[in-house]
Amino acid sequence: TQSGGTLTAKARLALAPANTKKLCRALAVEGGAVFSTDRSIKMLAQLLNSKTTSVRKVAIKALSVIAEQEPALIARHRLVQRAVVNRLQDSQISVREAAVELVGKSILSAGSSDAQGAQSPKKKSRVDDGAKVALARILDRLKDKGVSVRKRVIRILRDLLLSKPYHPQRVKICAALVKRFTYTEEESIQKTIL
């Protein structure tokens, strides 16, 4: 980016809708190592505010790949966290779905790394608090107008309950799923919950 935070012509070309698939392929092949520097993470966070839907979606997916390999890298960037929260309420369903997937991965990985056991109680508490906030954001998306977003949330919650049956928020999660099942007329949502 240039000093004013706007994208250079080269960056705009690289992130043009026709080139976003190439970027995703590169991420799939190379993994998060391509973007695993703080500077790159900040650049991706800026791209989350792009006016172009495909750029926002690719930036979210890139962060998702990085989060799989190194969850703490994203967790320490408040700028990224705020941008992802904003994308949870994006006008485009595909961007919201990608943001839900990213937040879901962070919830699923929270507390599962061996390194977290060695953290100080204060730092572990911040991680736990962050996971609670992320879970609350995901639960809010159960009311999303996009069916694919709601289905993604349900799958994340199901995976969370299956991988962590004694999760401290399990009662809240189950109650939200039962409420969604009870108050929806959409058969596809009901089938996903079951």
Side-chain angles (χ1 to χ4, degrees), residues 20-161:
T20 55
K21 287 184 182 178
K22 290 178 185 175
L23 179 59
C24 284
R25 278 191 215 114
L27 282 167
V29 172
E30 300 293 331
V34 174
F35 290 105
S36 64
T37 65
D38 286 346
R39 185 175 173 193
S40 298
I41 297 290
K42 289 175 184 174
M43 182 190 80
L44 286 170
Q46 289 175 342
L47 293 175
L48 291 175
N49 296 318
S50 170
K51 293 180 182 178
T52 308
T53 301
S54 60
V55 171
R56 292 192 311 269
K57 184 178 174 184
V58 168
I60 285 278
K61 289 195 177 275
L63 287 169
S64 189
V65 169
I66 295 167
E68 281 182 35
Q69 296 185 6
E70 199 174 339
L73 192 64
I74 293 173
R76 71 175 178 246
H77 291 282
R78 294 262 186 233
L79 175 68
V80 174
Q81 293 169 3
R82 278 182 292 216
V84 171
V85 166
N86 289 337
R87 293 312 94 197
L88 285 169
Q89 297 175 355
D90 197 274
S91 61
Q92 298 297 313
I93 291 172
S94 62
V95 176
R96 290 196 309 273
E97 185 177 357
V100 162
E101 182 179 346
L102 171 58
V103 174
K105 284 179 182 179
S106 72
I107 291 171
L108 289 169
S109 69
S112 64
S113 72
D114 294 333
Q116 187 175 349
Q119 290 177 352
S120 69
K122 186 176 181 180
K123 190 171 185 180
K124 188 174 184 326
S125 174
R126 278 184 289 179
V127 170
D128 292 342
D129 290 346
K132 284 180 189 176
V133 170
L135 182 59
R137 302 271 188 204
I138 289 289
L139 288 171
D140 286 345
R141 295 293 93 209
L142 275 173
K143 302 171 199 160
D144 197 278
K145 63 183 178 183
V147 174
S148 63
V149 175
R150 293 194 306 267
K151 284 183 175 183
R152 176 77 63 186
V153 170
I154 292 165
R155 286 187 203 105
I156 290 166
L157 295 174
R158 180 190 61 214
D159 291 348
L160 179 62
L161 291 172

Side-chain angles (χ1 to χ4, degrees), residues 135 139-140 142-143 153-154 157-158 160-161 167-184 193:
L135 182 59
L139 288 171
D140 286 345
L142 275 173
K143 302 171 199 160
V153 170
I154 292 165
L157 295 174
R158 180 190 61 214
L160 179 62
L161 291 172
H167 190 279
Q169 299 289 314
R170 68 186 175 278
V171 173
K172 185 177 184 176
I173 294 167
C174 289
L177 289 171
V178 168
K179 184 176 179 181
R180 183 76 238 178
F181 182 84
T182 306
Y183 294 110
T184 188
I193 292 173

